[in-house]
Amino acid sequence: MAIVKSFKAIRPRKDLVDKVAALPYDVMNTQEAREMVKSNPYSFLHVDKAQIDLNPSTNQYDKVVYEKARDNLYGMIDKKIYIQDPEKSMYIYRQVMDGREQTGIVACTSIDDYMNDIIKKHEHTRAEKEQDRINHVDYCNANTGPIFLTYKNIKEIDEIVEIWTKKEAEYNFVSEDGISHIVWLIDDKNTVEKLENLFKDVKYLYIADGHHRAASAVKVGQLRRKENPNYNGNEEFNFFLSVIFPSEDLYIMDYNRVVKDLNGNSKDEFLNKVSEKFEIKPCDICEPYKPSEKCTFGMYIDKKWYKLTAKKGTYNEKDPVDSLDVSILQNNLLRPILAIEDPRTSDRIDFVGGIRGLKELEKRVEEGMVVAFSMYPTSIMELMDIADAGRVMPPKSTWFEPKLRSGIFVHELK
């Protein structure tokens, strides 16, 4: 039974929402963020990545960065760039990218559900990244970035969404990357109560994206509980900001790999070793090879594309992790041939989200990497199966598009 509740969102004025809404803090570096906000004082990056407003020599994890984030957020509230809804509500958030829609419910979810594994995870988190967002949320006294959750579709929730999305939208704008963002306000108490009850029939929610934000939000909630030993469980710090999408709406793109060297092998030696576990077929056409089915991979080396097909016996079909394409490549090529033991920490491998296209792989090889691999995307069902099994995916297994914008909704913890 999932706990999903309404909240009094702090959100931008209608005339400024397109200027405030920003990409998540972790999809760009500090210098890129500085460039993005040069002509936009309203961007939420001034909150989510506040070091852009400080001296470039400032350590991004310094206390002054979190203080600046807090001051910027509440400065925007004082200037009426942000308003707070007078009553607790839920919201519908639709994104449209290349004609494809994903439509979710914006609400708050329970830190207890996270701790009790009703909210399922599929990734490990890193302590230093968690601590950064713990400090950020704690200083801001708010969840500033939503957690991207999914669930197995429920017809009655779909029907409510269909009814409300026929009404006039609260926000409707197109971001600089051409993605449409449309928001509807659900301020009818009966509808909100019905949605809360319907989500009680959802056995599990799954984190699609935002594991570090979720873990950090939960740990801030735990800190607040220690500070308030007489808490009753209804306080806002017991919940965190989420956008909850039905699984059928979601689209996972390929998450591709590029490697700096062949681990001392010549090209011929490398191809010979690869052929032990993969069938290798040179591509006759000049276009990049995009895998169209599981267990197939594109490989770009020495200005030529090859199709790799995993041979039988190279993986366990019944194991949800071992049968992932990212695992097949890691366990049969990247680790044994190229000696990349841990992709999280190796400086010899890099990852390229599918949104950049396969030409980006060619470009990276021409610029100094030696070999690139195009991947078949992980499916949402594979993600759920792994989470249900209590397992974790290899790093960089999923690339979701479109990305949720930060700054459209803020959830205050007081």
Side-chain angles (χ1 to χ4, degrees), residues 199-214:
F199 273 107
K200 290 177 183 177
D201 293 331
V202 173
K203 188 175 182 180
Y204 299 119
L205 298 172
Y206 299 82
I207 299 177
D209 202 7
H211 282 77
H212 287 93
R213 291 192 296 274

Side-chain angles (χ1 to χ4, degrees), residues 126-185:
R126 292 166 53 188
E128 66 272 18
K129 289 185 70 175
E130 273 191 33
Q131 190 59 54
D132 170 52
R133 287 300 102 176
I134 289 170
N135 292 339
H136 178 83
V137 171
D138 198 29
Y139 273 81
C140 289
N141 191 42
N143 304 136
T144 59
I147 313 306
F148 189 163
L149 300 179
T150 188
Y151 66 99
K152 296 174 182 177
N153 293 54
I154 290 182
K155 180 182 177 182
E156 292 82 358
I157 295 178
D158 294 342
E159 290 171 347
I160 291 173
V161 168
E162 184 178 358
I163 290 169
W164 279 82
T165 53
K166 291 178 181 177
K167 300 176 184 288
E168 183 180 356
E170 187 76 5
Y171 301 136
N172 191 344
F173 66 96
V174 178
S175 51
E176 68 283 350
D177 52 5
I179 296 170
S180 296
H181 303 266
I182 312 168
V183 172
W184 292 265
L185 168 66

Side-chain angles (χ1 to χ4, degrees), residues 213-411:
R213 291 192 296 274
S216 302
V218 170
K219 289 182 178 178
V220 171
Q222 292 172 319
L223 288 171
R224 297 295 172 89
R225 286 180 172 185
K226 288 182 180 179
E227 295 167 359
N228 299 273
N230 295 319
Y231 75 92
N232 60 28
N234 294 318
E235 299 87 354
E236 292 301 320
F237 58 71
N238 295 290
F239 304 91
F240 57 87
L241 178 64
S242 301
V243 187
I244 314 167
F245 292 93
S247 59
E248 291 180 0
D249 276 20
L250 298 188
Y251 175 55
I252 303 178
M253 299 189 76
D254 43 306
Y255 212 160
N256 304 306
R257 278 90 168 114
V258 288
V259 181
K260 289 182 178 180
D261 60 71
L262 297 182
N263 189 34
N265 293 288
S266 68
K267 176 187 169 183
D268 288 342
E269 289 171 335
F270 172 68
L271 292 177
N272 187 54
K273 291 179 180 180
V274 171
S275 69
E276 294 177 11
K277 296 293 183 70
F278 298 86
E279 295 176 5
I280 305 177
K281 181 180 179 181
C283 296
D284 295 329
I285 58 175
C286 297
E287 290 300 308
Y289 178 74
K290 186 175 181 63
S292 59
E293 59 183 338
K294 276 184 61 60
C295 304
T296 61
F297 310 82
M299 181 174 70
Y300 184 69
I301 184 171
D302 196 20
K303 300 184 182 297
K304 187 171 182 61
W305 279 95
Y306 298 82
K307 176 185 176 181
L308 306 184
T309 304
K311 294 181 179 180
K312 287 187 177 182
T314 56
Y315 63 96
N316 182 354
E317 295 180 11
K318 296 182 179 180
D319 187 291
V321 177
D322 195 53
S323 60
L324 286 175
D325 280 25
V326 289
S327 297
I328 294 170
L329 188 71
Q330 175 65 28
N331 295 338
N332 294 282
L333 196 159
L334 296 179
R335 180 183 294 119
I337 300 175
L338 297 181
I340 295 173
E341 294 295 330
D342 186 353
R344 286 186 184 86
T345 58
S346 175
D347 62 359
R348 296 172 50 233
I349 189 170
D350 203 358
F351 304 88
V352 181
I355 191 68
R356 294 181 177 267
L358 298 187
K359 287 291 185 181
E360 178 68 17
L361 299 184
E362 294 183 354
K363 178 173 175 284
R364 295 291 299 275
V365 170
E366 301 310 320
E367 289 177 345
M369 303 301 263
V370 172
V371 62
F373 301 94
S374 58
M375 310 292 296
Y376 185 71
T378 303
S379 74
I380 193 67
M381 289 311 300
E382 287 176 318
L383 182 154
M384 289 179 164
D385 287 344
I386 288 169
D388 285 341
R391 307 277 294 280
V392 296
M393 287 185 166
K396 311 297 185 182
S397 294
T398 57
W399 182 279
F400 284 92
E401 285 290 345
K403 302 293 185 187
L404 301 183
R405 284 313 194 265
S406 295
I408 302 177
F409 307 96
V410 173
H411 169 236

